[in-house]
Amino acid sequence: MQAKKGYLFKGRVIDGSLNAPIEQGAVVVEGERIQWVGTAAQLPPQYDERDYDVIALPGRSILPGLIDGHTHISFGESRSEEENALYTPPEFRTLKAMYYAKKVLQAGVTSCFDAATTYNVAQAVRDAIDTGMFEGPRFTVSGKQITNHQGLEDSFPSWMEFPVGQSAVLVKNKDDLIEAIRLQIKEEVDAIKVSGSNDNLITPDALGASAFTLEELKLIADETHRLGRLCSTHARSRDAALDAARAGFDNLFHASYIDEEGIEACLKNKVVITPTLTLLVNLVGANPDNAGASGKSAFQREIEAASENLTRAWKAGVPIIAGSESGWSPVPYGQWHGKEMEIFVDLLGMTPLQAIHANTLAATRLIKRYGNEIGKIEAGRLADLLVVPGDPTKDIRILQFPKRFDYIFKGGKPIDRTPPMPRKRKWYERTKIFLDGLYEFDEETGTGKLTH
Ligand SMILES: [Zn+2]
């Protein structure tokens, strides 16, 4: 028997751009790349069905593998800053990250932008996958966040040393800044990420100012671009978003409090925004006892502000990219990667097609490493493809149920769908919480009662 030339997919083709879906479409894959795409009726005779493995299940949609614009593959589903920065040894973090990378791929995410790492774990994960040793998404990675005392990552008390396991490096002056950028590029990051503002719950007056001055941000953007890397920032506050956009950063994460001036600066300097609203929505949804009522309402207020401000940015023409923030315990790996699209539809007024675009082709703006090789079903691009039941342009929630996907292809090959074995936590993967509440003595019953 003659070996097949590749795969022939038939079904509704949603190509990742804003093109209308092709209802009766066909996609030809040979080797790791897409060979042809169009209507099934126009399939050229050289792509004879008999020469290909045909995948043509009724009612299915074919779309590009998702590109998650914001993951932290080295964070290990940390429950707290302490767990993330302090206890777990780098060797164990790296092995955990490989374990989790497979889960992310199995959720239909074939590429990720990793938006800050502990140690240099993310680079190692990227390279271990790229060299074919392990299965996982194609990673583009930023290094540790560059923070000063006002950035969210300087979250430990000033009377202790800045922890080396923190997902950030502390800079104290302009020379430190330049040195941090050059060192990270030596350590093979694809992007620089700055801790440009503080965050809810890290300090009480979190969301007012920018951590760095405009002059410092310009220095960062210029040096990063001079060395050919993408420049991104954590920027929840109005000023952090505005000044980073003015300084010529490529991407703003969050930008919840961006205003008209910030939006104008984004449009002028072609800056994109990756909101990662899934984290906030999940924090509210999980109703964390340890954050308390004020924490919960702070997240709720930020969601409301971000909905309004980011809708304005989106309507004005600022590209918006979907990212999940997977890596923290509110967003475990492999489970929430399709949620951001539904949030974009519900809160930013996107159509499902626009939301899919935000999670595929639009997200390639963050991915220099694979340039224009991913994100769209187009001849010549890598065959990272999903085959899913139903029509996600009618029901965007379909993309939140990866176990129901028929196929996940990466580089022209169906990936292994066997779920990884469940893992146990090691004692050092801990938070500083002994008990989440007070175990109070109840005099009426003479027994203990947990209160919050
Ligand atoms: Zn993040």
Side-chain angles (χ1 to χ4, degrees):
M1 208 182 89
Q2 190 133 16
K4 300 283 187 185
K5 287 184 183 168
Y7 291 91
L8 171 58
F9 297 80
K10 286 186 172 178
R12 180 183 302 101
V13 175
I14 301 163
D15 73 2
S17 74
L18 295 170
N19 294 333
I22 306 171
E23 283 301 324
Q24 313 275 333
V27 181
V28 179
V29 170
E30 288 181 14
E32 61 178 6
R33 288 180 192 273
I34 297 161
Q35 200 69 23
W36 188 89
V37 56
T39 63
Q42 288 170 328
L43 186 70
Q46 78 241 44
Y47 303 120
D48 189 319
E49 283 199 4
R50 288 166 299 185
D51 297 334
Y52 293 85
D53 284 317
V54 179
I55 294 176
L57 297 161
R60 301 311 203 273
S61 298
I62 306 152
L63 61 157
L66 301 179
I67 301 174
D68 192 322
H70 192 123
T71 61
H72 296 289
I73 203 62
S74 66
F75 286 13
E77 301 176 344
S78 286
R79 288 146 163 82
S80 69
E81 286 284 320
E82 294 77 20
E83 180 178 337
N84 201 38
L86 299 184
Y87 308 113
T88 309
E91 297 84 355
F92 191 75
R93 287 171 198 261
T94 310
L95 294 169
K96 261 204 308 186
M98 289 313 322
Y99 169 87
Y100 286 128
K102 185 159 187 179
K103 286 193 170 191
V104 175
L105 179 64
Q106 288 182 334
V109 176
T110 49
S111 294
C112 298
F113 182 90
D114 204 68
T117 180
T118 61
Y119 300 93
N120 285 325
V121 171
Q123 292 97 304
V125 169
R126 174 196 66 200
D127 295 345
I129 293 166
D130 278 358
T131 53
M133 292 190 281
F134 297 94
E135 281 202 307
R138 307 173 195 280
F139 273 96
T140 291
V141 307
S142 54
K144 298 175 188 178
Q145 292 195 64
I146 296 175
T147 191
N148 61 13
H149 293 310
Q150 274 64 50
L152 85 156
E153 294 297 341
D154 188 19
S155 52
F156 291 96
S158 49
W159 52 87
M160 66 179 273
E161 287 288 327
F162 190 85
V164 290
Q166 179 62 299
S167 58
V169 56
L170 178 66
V171 296
K172 295 181 179 169
N173 53 52
K174 288 179 192 158
D175 289 346
D176 278 5
L177 263 180
I178 296 292
E179 167 60 16
I181 293 167
R182 291 177 183 171
L183 181 63
Q184 290 199 4
I185 290 172
K186 179 187 175 189
E187 291 173 343
E188 298 197 55
V189 301
D190 301 297
I192 294 295
K193 185 181 175 200
V194 172
S195 192
S197 77
N198 218 311
D199 217 351
N200 268 316
L201 297 184
I202 305 285
T203 62
D205 58 346
L207 298 178
S210 172
F212 291 91
T213 65
L214 179 59
E215 192 195 346
E216 288 167 330
L217 292 167
K218 279 187 176 148
L219 198 64
I220 295 167
D222 290 350
E223 186 63 2
T224 303
H225 290 148
R226 187 179 75 81
L227 296 172
R229 299 302 198 275
L230 182 131
C231 195
S232 71
T233 180
H234 169 97
R236 292 205 186 272
S237 72
R238 172 201 175 273
D239 290 358
L242 172 62
D243 286 349
R246 277 181 174 161
F249 275 54
D250 302 290
N251 173 62
L252 311 179
F253 287 114
H254 319 307
S256 307
Y257 294 95
I258 195 166
D259 66 358
E260 289 294 348
E261 246 186 307
I263 292 168
E264 261 173 52
C266 286
L267 291 170
K268 180 163 170 259
N269 290 333
K270 299 191 167 41
V271 184
V272 304
I273 297 176
T274 308
T276 75
L277 295 166
T278 301
L279 175 70
L280 301 176
V281 168
N282 279 13
L283 279 164
V284 171
N287 190 14
D289 293 330
N290 58 335
S294 62
K296 191 179 171 184
S297 66
F299 295 128
Q300 187 59 49
R301 278 199 305 279
E302 188 175 344
I303 292 169
E304 282 159 21
S307 303
E308 205 183 307
N309 299 330
L310 295 174
T311 300
R312 209 177 297 132
W314 157 248
K315 296 262 153 76
V318 180
I320 304 277
I321 291 171
S324 68
E325 199 67 79
S326 291
W328 294 105
S329 68
V331 194
Y333 300 106
Q335 299 181 28
W336 296 96
H337 303 276
K339 176 79 179 172
E340 193 80 356
M341 287 181 277
E342 184 191 10
I343 295 172
F344 284 176
V345 170
D346 289 350
L347 299 186
L348 305 192
M350 285 192 190
T351 66
L353 189 70
Q354 290 167 334
I356 292 168
H357 175 65
N359 221 155
T360 54
L361 187 59
T364 60
R365 291 166 187 267
L366 298 178
I367 314 273
K368 274 199 169 181
R369 176 161 282 263
Y370 295 97
N372 47 16
E373 293 189 283
I374 55 170
K376 189 179 176 194
I377 302 183
E378 184 175 62
R381 292 198 192 230
L382 289 161
D384 296 352
L385 299 171
L386 310 179
V387 179
V388 306
D391 183 356
T393 67
K394 302 255 156 48
D395 177 8
I396 195 68
R397 282 178 54 84
I398 289 169
L399 297 172
Q400 291 175 43
F401 297 88
K403 289 198 182 76
R404 300 180 198 170
F405 296 177
D406 300 288
Y407 291 97
I408 299 167
F409 271 66
K410 185 189 161 203
K413 290 198 194 90
I415 65 147
D416 172 26
R417 307 284 295 276
T418 320
M421 304 275 279
R423 65 175 286 266
K424 294 185 203 125
R425 278 164 65 80
K426 272 288 286 183
W427 64 267
Y428 48 61
E429 299 176 71
R430 64 188 174 180
T431 71
K432 64 182 178 184
I433 297 167
F434 298 112
L435 182 64
D436 186 17
L438 286 180
Y439 192 55
E440 298 196 274
F441 184 74
D442 183 345
E443 285 205 24
E444 276 185 26
T445 61
T447 56
K449 196 170 101 189
L450 189 65
T451 63
H452 296 288

